[in-house]
Amino acid sequence: IVSDPISDDGLNIFYENNIDVIDATNSIIDENYEHIPTANGWVIRSGTTINASIIKKADKLAVIGRAGVGVDNIDISAATRKGVVVMNTPDANTISAAEHTMALLLSLSRNVSNGHHSILNGKWDRHRFIGSELRTKTLGIIGLGKIGREVMHRALGFNMNIIGYDPFVKEDMLRSDDIELRSFEDLVSHSDFITVHIPLTKETKGLFDYKCLSKMKKSARIINVARGGIINEIDLAKILHENKIAGAALDVFENEPIEKNNPLLSAPNLILTPHLGGSTK
């Protein structure tokens, strides 16, 4: 079963090895999906959730392949109990996600989205949208895995000061000339820009709630190209309406596609993209 879009090159690997492929990209995937009991393998991206109810009915399933990094949309415990191997591709979209982070970082700092919409509305607000140079600004990186480190390397090229938080990384694993490790609280309160690169877990869900967001500088901006739900969307919308931070950019959301009544859709100083972080040719 392939239930999320992947490239023809990827599909051809299956065809060349005489594997029957069931295209489920436009199907409703739940425990009643007809091909679950007979599937030997399943390929997904972020659009499909494979929960315990689905795995329970997958009597012949041997492997789930996640074309991407995060596996929070797979019930790992249920898969393990059933003897189903779960694999991901941690390097596949590292550069894409890091570059999209930089795109949002630059767009926020220079009011690209606001300027664009201003011109479309017949205005010329050159003096209204005063930008902020990245040079000498402090970038706080939450999560120093593959993507977080790629963002760090690119931000250093803009002569930014980099601070980071990652409980699984020690000082001697990084060059002190590149980055300084801080506590989570210290990073939140001292960063001019914060970028999130951690998985969605019980511990990280709602990590950036109203209380946490309130501790950011009023001139600071936050970016999430990791997983929806790490930033509480209702709280972020409230913070932006109250002008307690300067802006935010999100590529991921708690529910995707984003719901029409999501308060973020009416929040100011916000850039939204439809989960494009890993979407490059």
Side-chain angles (χ1 to χ4, degrees):
I1 301 173
V2 177
S3 53
D4 292 315
I6 63 172
S7 69
D8 290 340
D9 288 341
L11 292 173
N12 286 336
I13 294 172
F14 297 119
Y15 298 142
E16 290 166 1
N17 287 277
N18 298 316
I19 295 172
D20 294 327
V21 176
I22 298 166
D23 181 0
T25 53
N26 294 314
S27 301
I28 296 173
I29 303 298
D30 57 24
E31 65 269 21
N32 298 314
Y33 181 60
E34 59 181 322
H35 295 289
I36 292 173
T38 57
N40 304 112
W42 201 322
V43 175
I44 67 170
R45 289 175 64 190
S46 59
T48 300
T49 296
I50 301 184
N51 57 31
S53 298
I54 290 174
I55 292 171
K56 185 177 180 180
K57 291 191 174 183
D59 293 331
K60 295 186 178 181
L61 192 63
V63 59
I64 299 169
R66 166 67 165 94
V69 181
V71 291
D72 50 279
N73 51 334
I74 304 168
D75 191 323
I76 302 292
S77 296
T80 301
R81 289 193 297 269
K82 191 86 171 181
V84 178
V85 176
V86 177
M87 297 186 284
N88 66 345
T89 52
D91 289 324
N93 60 4
T94 297
I95 301 301
S96 296
E99 289 186 357
H100 195 66
T101 300
M102 296 306 297
L104 295 179
L105 182 68
L106 286 161
S107 296
L108 274 179
S109 67
R110 299 309 298 269
N111 295 301
V112 171
S113 180
N114 287 335
H116 170 75
H117 288 292
S118 173
I119 286 182
L120 292 184
N121 290 326
K123 300 178 182 179
W124 189 259
D125 293 323
R126 182 182 179 190
H127 300 292
R128 178 185 170 196
F129 299 123
I130 305 299
S132 173
E133 290 186 1
L134 298 185
R135 183 176 63 94
T136 73
K137 297 298 189 301
T138 298
L139 174 65
I141 303 176
I142 307 288
L144 294 165
K146 295 176 184 296
I147 297 172
R149 294 189 194 201
E150 289 295 341
V151 170
M152 176 189 73
H153 293 313
R154 283 152 181 76
L156 287 170
F158 285 90
N159 292 320
M160 299 187 79
N161 299 316
I162 316 295
I163 59 177
Y165 169 76
D166 192 319
F168 303 104
V169 172
K170 296 181 180 179
E171 290 276 4
D172 57 7
M173 298 171 66
L174 300 162
R175 285 182 45 175
S176 59
D177 290 345
D178 293 341
I179 187 171
E180 178 185 352
L181 293 183
R182 300 276 190 94
S183 68
F184 177 78
E185 292 77 13
D186 192 54
L187 182 148
V188 169
S189 61
H190 286 87
S191 297
D192 297 302
F193 295 88
I194 297 173
T195 180
V196 178
H197 301 286
I198 53 178
L200 179 65
T201 64
K202 290 180 180 178
E203 292 73 27
T204 64
K205 185 175 176 61
L207 177 65
F208 282 91
D209 56 11
Y210 187 86
K211 182 179 179 181
C212 181
L213 291 165
S214 297
K215 293 178 180 178
M216 292 172 58
K217 293 181 180 180
K218 188 174 181 180
S219 59
R221 299 165 173 89
I222 188 167
I223 299 154
N224 186 10
V225 184
R227 276 291 176 270
I230 296 171
I231 300 176
N232 183 301
E233 294 171 1
I234 295 174
D235 290 352
L236 176 61
K238 185 178 180 182
I239 285 283
L240 289 169
H241 278 295
E242 294 173 352
N243 293 315
K244 289 191 173 179
I245 64 173
L250 302 183
D251 184 51
V252 288
F253 306 92
E254 191 162 358
N255 294 303
E256 297 182 0
I258 189 170
E259 296 161 322
K260 293 181 179 180
N261 62 347
N262 191 307
L264 291 174
L265 296 177
S266 60
N269 302 318
L270 181 63
I271 297 174
L272 305 176
T273 54
H275 205 144
L276 301 179
S279 298
T280 55
K281 292 182 181 180

